[in-house]
Amino acid sequence: SRLAFFGAQKIVFVDSKELLDQFVSVLTLSEPKWVGVDIEHSKALAYHGLICLIQVSWSIKIRDKVKFQTFLIDTLAFSK
């Protein structure tokens, strides 16, 4: 499964073009006030390093409740 929960927070693991398109759509439609981005990289396989994972998180308010959304983008899945 590409969907996990950490407490009440939904986490989507993105490793395909379809899920990447879904990520872009959800982010665009959410119109968040802030977006947090964390990038993990490795220098083990390349001189300049490779970005291995991008985590993008934001929150939106729906009916007086704050909803958190996180997408983990596996960049290595797109390097094939």
Side-chain angles (χ1 to χ4, degrees):
S1 173
R2 291 181 172 89
L3 178 63
F5 289 90
F6 184 74
Q9 184 175 358
K10 182 172 84 169
I11 301 170
V12 179
F13 187 74
V14 177
D15 62 353
S16 69
K17 172 81 168 81
E18 294 79 22
L19 289 171
L20 187 62
D21 291 342
Q22 177 188 348
F23 158 72
V24 172
S25 294
V26 170
L27 179 59
T28 303
L29 294 173
S30 296
E31 298 181 352
K33 292 185 180 183
W34 63 266
V35 175
V37 178
D38 181 35
I39 298 173
E40 303 297 331
H41 83 287
S42 172
K43 288 187 176 182
L45 301 175
Y47 178 75
H48 293 290
L50 295 171
I51 295 175
C52 303
L53 185 73
I54 302 172
Q55 176 182 341
V56 183
S57 301
W58 64 90
S59 68
I60 57 174
K61 195 171 186 180
I62 301 174
R63 295 186 204 108
D64 295 329
K65 284 189 161 187
V66 176
K67 179 181 176 186
F68 294 95
Q69 182 72 58
T70 296
F71 283 80
L72 298 177
I73 303 168
D74 177 4
T75 60
L76 298 179
F78 298 98
S79 64
K80 298 175 186 173

